[in-house]
Amino acid sequence: MRAVLPFLILLAGGRAEEDDSTCSFGDSSGAGKTPGGRSTAGVTSELDVDIVNTGKSAISIYWGGDATNTQEVFLIAIEPGASKRVHSFAGHILEIRDEKSGELRMKHVVANGADNVLTITDDDAWDNIPDVDGGQLNLESVQGGLEQLGSDLFPKSVDYISQIPSRSREVPMGAKFRNFYPFDIEFYFDDGTEDGAYNGIIPSMGRSAINTYATHSFILCKRGTKDKFGRVTMKPKKNIIIIKPNDKEYMKDVKRTQFYKDTMKELSFMRSYQNRTGLPWLSYYPRSPPILHMWSADYIGQEHLVEIADHGEHPIKLRLKVISLRPRVFYISGLLLPEEIGHLIDISKDKVKRSSVGNSADKGFVTNTRTSRTAWIERTESDVTNRLFMRFSRVLNISDDRLTHTRNAEKLQVVQYEKGQKYSPHHDFNDRGADLSSIAAR
């Protein structure tokens, strides 16, 4: 749970885009012109987007709307080996779909100053991942420095999050890593600097996970050496990355291990689940069924009433209002009282320190994606914090003794912002190699 200093509790990150309300489309032959005859009021940047289809199947291009209009409109189809130009405006969204199946292959946000050339390959499609071994990424061992890895190691700098997306990368995703090398791997986000931004360790014959965005690249190094031997570039729908050497004799032994066999089963399941549901499987596999209570979310606007007698003589009446069905999201007004908010702010002032990225409050690292300051507050900090956790258990409809830091709940998180500081939008995800079906709250 997050609070914000001063006086703001439970804020979620967001992203601003240009306020473009209209568009006009069409290639040089006149195909795919203006959907719905929309005007171009308020739009100042007209741009051409060249789309090249190098795959083996035809693709369809749709206008996916903009920040104020999400209506989808068909524009043009592009046969294999062909290319076409689409006339658009900054801030507009193009959706690329497989013409036969309708499967979404990519989203591209048109932007000023961007390289608005899209090359669509078969590698972009989940269906083209071969069986089992095909989900793996082979990385050649390289002697020497970055220059021997090729000029594409550090392409045009990619910001972690930008106000106006400049590439078709704005697809947030969780990624699982499996390392079959005989040594631990350090991985660094390619932020355009010489070494990149440190993101963690993937242990030998082990696993790790990150929250990231499609097209973000990560440099791989042998732990403790800065010896860069490869890179991984994130792609939509490829949520498990298997890193293995090309040593066939070594891999014969690896393939006999239970870890390798379990990974192959997970890879096959994830591919099947993605094809069946259209969603990535980011949970532990195999996962047990959830064991904690979950409020129903059958329709938008559905409400659940909870009465809590934890504050004086009069019970607090809280309404959980459904605002999203998938994912299941509830809006709760009045969860914290003004005096409780003030108390959290007061006890946090001496605890805040630079916000970090990592798998826990105590084992993080500093990056430029989080420049705010954070305090972590334990349940036992005061009578007020203990009462809040008791209230949360009533709202969640689970036993109070579960909401401890050693069982099902994290510490309270209070975030302080000075002007210009940020805690970049992200989605929380981890893969610790353990069943976390009983996790209740953050």
Side-chain angles (χ1 to χ4, degrees), residues 3 41 46 51-52 69 123 137 209 218 223 256 267 280 292 298 314 325-326 348 350 359 396 410 441:
E46 299 186 25
I51 304 174
V52 183
N69 189 334
D123 194 39
L137 175 69
F218 295 85
R223 184 177 183 179
R256 297 189 186 102
L267 176 64
L292 301 179
D298 302 318
H314 304 288
L325 303 181
R326 189 174 183 182
S348 300
D350 295 332
N359 294 334
L396 294 169
E410 287 189 343

Side-chain angles (χ1 to χ4, degrees), residues 123-140:
D123 194 39
D124 295 316
W126 176 260
D127 290 339
N128 285 291
I129 297 178
D131 292 337
V132 186
D133 288 344
Q136 302 169 10
L137 175 69
N138 291 305
L139 296 172
E140 298 285 353

Side-chain angles (χ1 to χ4, degrees), residues 191-312:
D191 62 355
T193 61
E194 181 177 356
D195 294 323
Y198 176 77
N199 265 247
I201 293 173
I202 314 170
S204 173
M205 297 299 293
R207 63 209 295 149
S208 185
I210 58 170
N211 315 297
T212 184
Y213 292 81
T215 77
H216 281 202
S217 292
F218 295 85
I219 311 303
L220 306 181
C221 304
K222 184 175 181 180
R223 184 177 183 179
T225 66
K226 293 287 187 179
D227 179 17
K228 302 174 175 64
F229 67 90
R231 70 183 286 157
V232 175
T233 299
M234 298 296 107
K235 296 182 179 180
K237 301 184 181 181
K238 294 187 178 180
N239 300 90
I240 183 168
I241 309 296
I242 297 176
I243 308 172
K244 68 180 184 68
N246 285 327
D247 187 330
K248 294 182 179 180
E249 291 301 316
Y250 170 78
M251 287 304 298
K252 284 183 180 179
D253 292 332
V254 167
K255 290 179 179 180
R256 297 189 186 102
T257 65
Q258 191 61 46
F259 178 57
Y260 182 88
K261 294 175 182 178
D262 290 344
T263 299
M264 293 302 101
K265 290 179 181 178
E266 181 177 11
L267 176 64
S268 179
F269 171 80
M270 288 179 65
R271 181 167 54 248
S272 173
Y273 184 86
Q274 176 84 48
N275 287 334
R276 186 174 72 254
T277 68
L279 299 171
W281 177 270
L282 296 180
S283 181
Y284 175 72
Y285 173 81
R287 189 196 74 178
S288 302
I291 63 175
L292 301 179
H293 172 79
M294 291 190 291
W295 290 104
S296 60
D298 302 318
Y299 56 90
I300 300 296
Q302 181 181 6
E303 292 187 346
H304 302 282
L305 178 63
V306 179
E307 292 193 10
I308 305 172
D310 69 353
H311 193 76

Side-chain angles (χ1 to χ4, degrees), residues 369-380:
T369 65
R370 297 179 183 178
T371 55
S372 57
R373 292 166 61 83
T374 296
W376 294 91
I377 308 298
E378 295 187 3
R379 173 173 181 161
T380 56

